[in-house]
Amino acid sequence: SATEGGASASADGEKMDILESLCESTRQALEDDPVVISVNVAKDETLVLVGDIHGQFKDMQTYVLAPQRDVISAKGKKDCKFLFLGDYVDRGPQGIEVVALLLALKVEYPEHIFLLRGNHEEATVCRMYGFLQECRSKLSPNAWGSFNNVFCFLPLGAVVEATIEDPAEKVVTFFCCHGGLNPYNNNVQALQFLRRSEYGQGILDGDDSEVVDGLLWSDPAEHDGFRRNMRGCGFTFGANTTAEFCEANTVQFVCRAHQMVMEAVSYTHLTLPTKRIV
């Protein structure tokens, strides 16, 4: 009926108002973050590193956020910190729910929730692989635009400093991104000058665009040096480039997502016992 149609339209309008407010709050918070963020983990804290979620909301609720539920049920434990390595949308059925929850958590708990950008947090990609259609069917194309306005400001990497006991107390430092390395810039501090919000809009300078391509798209490989990635974007990079990057930036390894592994965690470039890819 006309009444039911009007009520549905009103409810959808309210959802969009809430969503746009959430996106704007998150965008404002992310604007203040550097391109490469710092995450410090004390020895009595837990850091949960999360790879691609791709719209699997139930899995995120059931498994990814489970460590925090354990903290809530126990007394005396500190809240977990979560570092998400990108690819929240596309492929899975509930990208909207995944992103909305993560953005809300980021706004509410900025010192515990850290979100990096993946290659699917880019308009051209998430237009093709399902997220635009999901937004159209559940809300409106405007929701897709609001989310992409946030994606433009997601940090591109993180440097983690974690204090552990192994068995003596020591600090482990590692670099995180969604994809990997590139041949144009292997200096983490120089990455801070990237104009990240311009990526994907055709206005970022050529070399800078290639650097971001690497951070979002690259994969480790068995060959030396860099080669163009068969994905059509980014690069493949060898163990020697991993070693050079780690030595130049005083990090012990690189932690990335972007590729599925059945064991959940996989190690490559093992010829470098302290300079490897996780």
Side-chain angles (χ1 to χ4, degrees):
S1 68
T3 302
E4 290 174 345
S8 176
S10 177
D12 288 344
E14 290 178 5
K15 289 179 184 178
M16 278 302 304
D17 289 343
I18 294 171
L19 175 62
E20 288 175 358
S21 176
L22 172 62
C23 287
E24 179 61 20
S25 296
T26 312
R27 186 189 62 79
Q28 291 178 2
L30 291 173
E31 278 184 322
D32 295 331
D33 281 344
V35 174
V36 178
I37 58 175
S38 297
V39 180
N40 296 309
V41 186
K43 66 178 181 180
D44 58 345
E45 292 180 319
T46 297
L47 175 66
V48 181
L49 293 157
V50 186
D52 300 13
I53 298 174
H54 278 310
Q56 300 295 338
F57 184 69
K58 291 183 179 179
D59 288 347
M60 186 173 76
Q61 280 187 308
T62 304
Y63 304 111
V64 174
L65 300 178
Q68 181 60 24
R69 289 200 299 273
D70 295 339
V71 168
I72 294 172
S73 63
K75 293 182 178 180
K77 285 188 175 182
K78 288 188 175 182
D79 289 330
C80 294
K81 292 181 177 180
F82 291 83
L83 175 54
F84 293 84
L85 303 180
D87 275 16
Y88 313 115
V89 301
D90 288 334
R91 298 195 173 119
Q94 293 181 286
I96 290 175
E97 290 84 348
V98 167
V99 177
L101 177 56
L102 290 178
L103 298 189
L105 290 173
K106 177 61 182 175
V107 172
E108 188 69 19
Y109 306 104
E111 300 303 316
H112 291 82
I113 301 296
F114 305 95
L115 306 176
L116 301 187
R117 189 175 185 178
N119 63 305
H120 282 259
E121 281 70 61
E122 194 271 321
T124 303
V125 177
C126 66
R127 177 191 296 272
M128 295 173 57
Y129 287 93
F131 189 51
L132 174 58
Q133 183 58 40
E134 182 185 348
C135 289
R136 281 175 171 166
S137 63
K138 293 181 179 178
L139 294 170
S140 83
N142 292 337
W144 180 81
S146 296
F147 282 126
N148 275 284
N149 288 337
V150 178
F151 295 162
C152 288
F153 289 94
L154 288 169
L156 302 177
V159 174
V160 177
E161 290 191 1
T163 302
I164 63 172
E165 294 183 353
D166 185 33
E169 184 176 306
K170 67 177 183 180
V171 176
V172 176
T173 306
F174 56 98
F175 178 74
C176 298
C177 63
H178 180 73
L181 309 182
N182 71 90
Y184 295 94
N185 184 349
N186 72 345
N187 185 296
V188 170
Q189 291 304 314
L191 297 177
Q192 303 289 16
F193 297 98
L194 291 169
R195 300 186 303 278
R196 58 183 164 177
S197 63
E198 297 180 3
Y199 178 73
Q201 301 183 41
I203 55 178
L204 194 61
D205 292 341
D207 285 358
D208 284 352
S209 183
E210 296 268 32
V211 172
V212 181
D213 284 346
L215 291 167
L216 303 187
W217 286 88
S218 288
D219 297 304
E222 297 304 315
H223 60 71
D224 286 340
F226 289 95
R227 296 179 186 174
R228 286 289 176 182
N229 201 328
M230 292 182 65
R231 294 176 184 267
C233 201
F235 308 88
T236 55
F237 57 97
N240 63 321
T241 63
T242 301
E244 291 167 4
F245 177 87
C246 291
E247 290 165 5
N249 296 286
T250 321
V251 297
Q252 283 148 295
F253 60 91
V254 176
C255 179
R256 62 184 293 277
H258 198 40
Q259 291 176 295
M260 187 189 76
V261 291
M262 295 305 296
E263 304 83 3
V265 179
S266 177
Y267 300 89
T268 57
H269 294 174
L270 295 179
T271 55
L272 307 167
T274 60
K275 310 286 194 301
R276 60 177 61 177
I277 301 291
V278 179

